[in-house]
Amino acid sequence: DPVVVKTTGQGFALMYLSFSSKVLTASQITDYITRVVQPRLQTLDGVGNAQILGGQTFAMRIWLDPDRMAARGVTPSDVRTALTINNFTSAAGQVKGQFVQTSINARTSLDTPEAFSNLVVATRGDSLIRLGAVADVELGPQAVDSSSVFDGLKAVFIGVYGTPTANPLTVIDNVRKAMPDIVSQLPPGMESSIAYDSTVFIRASISEVAKTLGEAAIIVIVVIFLFLGNLRSTLIPVVTIPLSLIGVMIILMALGYSINLLTLLALVLAIGLVVDDAIVVVENIYRHIEDGMTPFDASIRGAREIAGPVVAMTITLAAVYAPIGFVTGLTGALFQEFAFTLAGAVIVSGVIALTLTPMMCSKLLKPHSAQGQGRFASFLDRLFERLRLRYERRLHKTLNFRAMTVVVLM
């Protein structure tokens, strides 16, 4: 059956628990979960509130009969006044002894239909008009204008809300661990089930993001290999991916952020960005190795030459995403973690590109005379050379008709 999810000032409920019965009324169900289940749930770690929804609290229902009231000259205000005056709680005083002190309470409150029926609402001469003479009194639900149903049975729901700093997954795990014990203590005829669990969607989303994270990493690695054509050269920028992600985790911990869908989205997008700096450094070092320099000397010279552009690239990318984190209002609250995660990953990748990448190049790359060139690398070189020549011919033809090209582009 569809479940209506309500919101309160504390946000969305993480879980809705349903309590239903074929033999108990909604008021009886509400009375039990108010006294037993609700206090138990509120003591669980991370639970901010366990709110009862669709419950019917016990109340004394007084149904006035207009005909009987008119016959005895009793008005609704007379009944109201009598209820206000006679139904109250009062302390009669204390009895003090030498060693003992006892408080005495007077039984001035009414708690049964018979007691309410005997309540005097008016006097006519020597006769007393009691409430039972002008109304029908019964113990029933406080409100009858709403009801809740689950699987065809009248039910009462409990919405479980987490504290602002609690992890929803941990909160729901704690509730699920406590449910078997709660169910085992339910009265005969009462059943309980989980009507709604928001963490099912959260877990599915995290699983999907993790899957996307892996797919993005594989695609990036394949593209790097296709363009570099060498396993040793490919390994160097690939190492940047996990190191950048681990580094940005440290930044998130320092900023007090958590792993959520927005930060995971930023990590997915960062995979394609964090390898850029390392690729540029590797390509520049590889160029010097091809010119005859040793890997160690090429790494030092190549890193020095490319340090300025790498720093500029890193600052530029960080400057693009970081301002989103300073936006005020709802947009800023939503995308602050996203922006700082992405900017932090880019900064970490820049540091790695100027430190770890040259060191790995000096150790992993071979001198040009010892490198040779495999069949696959030769195939890639021929393929990209044909693409370059084809593009060059088409570009020259286009430039021969500049006016026509401008018209087409416009």
Side-chain angles (χ1 to χ4, degrees):
D1 292 346
V3 177
V4 178
V5 180
K6 295 184 178 180
T7 60
T8 63
Q10 52 198 327
F12 286 93
L14 302 177
M15 173 181 282
Y16 285 96
L17 304 175
S18 168
F19 296 85
S20 58
S21 176
K22 296 181 180 179
V23 296
L24 301 178
T25 64
S27 298
Q28 292 172 323
I29 297 175
T30 304
D31 178 68
Y32 177 81
I33 65 176
T34 301
R35 292 184 292 104
V36 180
V37 180
Q38 187 182 37
R40 173 73 182 278
L41 293 175
Q42 289 179 336
T43 59
L44 297 178
D45 186 27
V47 175
N49 184 27
Q51 183 180 3
I52 297 178
L53 304 171
Q56 294 183 346
T57 307
F58 274 119
M60 199 62 64
R61 306 287 297 182
I62 300 174
W63 303 96
L64 301 177
D65 189 328
D67 295 334
R68 286 187 282 172
M69 292 175 63
R72 292 168 176 79
V74 178
T75 63
S77 60
D78 295 333
V79 177
R80 182 181 182 86
T81 301
L83 292 172
T84 304
I85 294 175
N86 291 278
N87 189 32
F88 63 95
T89 302
S90 174
Q94 296 177 336
V95 176
K96 296 182 179 180
Q98 186 175 1
F99 300 103
V100 179
Q101 175 177 315
T102 305
S103 298
I104 301 176
N105 293 326
R107 295 190 59 185
T108 54
S109 61
L110 309 177
D111 51 15
T112 63
E114 292 75 15
F116 275 89
S117 297
N118 291 327
L119 182 65
V120 176
V121 295
T123 58
R124 296 295 182 264
D126 295 335
S127 61
L128 302 177
I129 302 176
R130 301 183 183 277
L131 182 60
V134 297
D136 295 324
V137 183
E138 64 178 16
L139 185 63
Q142 186 176 21
V144 294
D145 55 352
S146 64
S147 63
S148 56
V149 178
F150 181 74
D151 283 345
L153 298 175
K154 286 190 175 181
V156 180
F157 296 90
I158 291 184
V160 180
Y161 297 84
T163 58
T165 58
N167 186 332
L169 300 179
T170 303
V171 174
I172 298 307
D173 287 341
N174 293 336
V175 174
R176 287 185 175 273
K177 291 179 182 178
M179 281 303 295
D181 186 46
I182 293 175
V183 172
S184 66
Q185 299 178 17
L186 293 178
M190 184 184 296
E191 299 177 353
S192 177
S193 61
I194 298 176
Y196 170 77
D197 186 353
S198 64
T199 59
V200 174
F201 168 76
I202 296 175
R203 294 180 192 276
S205 300
I206 293 177
S207 176
E208 192 65 26
V209 170
K211 178 182 175 183
T212 305
L213 198 64
E215 292 174 350
I218 292 174
I219 293 174
V220 169
I221 293 172
V222 171
V223 171
I224 293 174
F225 177 71
L226 289 177
F227 279 88
L228 295 182
N230 186 286
L231 288 175
R232 289 175 175 268
S233 302
T234 304
L235 179 63
I236 297 172
V238 166
V239 171
T240 307
I241 297 176
L243 292 180
S244 298
L245 299 185
I246 294 173
V248 78
M249 295 294 180
I250 299 175
I251 296 177
L252 293 180
M253 184 173 63
L255 294 176
Y257 296 155
S258 63
I259 300 299
N260 51 55
L261 293 181
L262 287 176
T263 53
L264 288 175
L265 173 62
L267 294 180
V268 172
L269 297 178
I271 289 179
L273 299 176
V274 296
V275 296
D276 291 343
D277 295 339
I279 292 175
V280 171
V281 174
V282 171
E283 287 283 6
N284 194 52
I285 294 174
Y286 192 83
R287 177 175 64 87
H288 288 297
I289 293 177
E290 288 182 331
D291 291 340
M293 297 182 66
T294 63
F296 181 81
D297 294 335
S299 299
I300 294 177
R301 183 174 180 179
R304 286 177 178 175
E305 291 176 347
I306 210 69
V310 168
V311 172
M313 288 171 56
T314 302
I315 295 177
T316 301
L317 286 174
V320 170
Y321 298 109
I324 303 176
F326 298 100
V327 177
T328 58
L330 181 60
T331 303
L334 287 175
F335 290 98
Q336 185 181 63
E337 297 183 8
F338 170 82
F340 289 152
T341 301
L342 204 53
V346 171
I347 292 174
V348 173
S349 69
V351 174
I352 294 174
L354 294 177
T355 55
L356 181 63
T357 299
M359 186 276 294
M360 294 185 66
C361 288
S362 66
K363 299 296 182 181
L364 295 180
L365 297 183
K366 296 181 180 180
H368 184 65
S369 58
Q371 284 192 39
Q373 196 172 29
R375 293 182 179 180
F376 185 72
S378 300
F379 168 75
L380 290 177
D381 289 342
R382 292 194 300 271
L383 176 63
F384 286 125
E385 182 63 21
R386 287 198 297 268
L387 289 175
R388 187 189 68 80
L389 294 175
R390 183 178 300 178
Y391 174 75
E392 183 179 354
R393 288 195 299 270
R394 292 183 179 274
L395 180 62
H396 280 265
K397 291 180 180 180
T398 302
L399 294 178
N400 291 333
F401 303 94
R402 297 182 181 181
M404 182 62 67
T405 303
V406 172
V407 172
V408 172
L409 293 177
M410 292 177 61

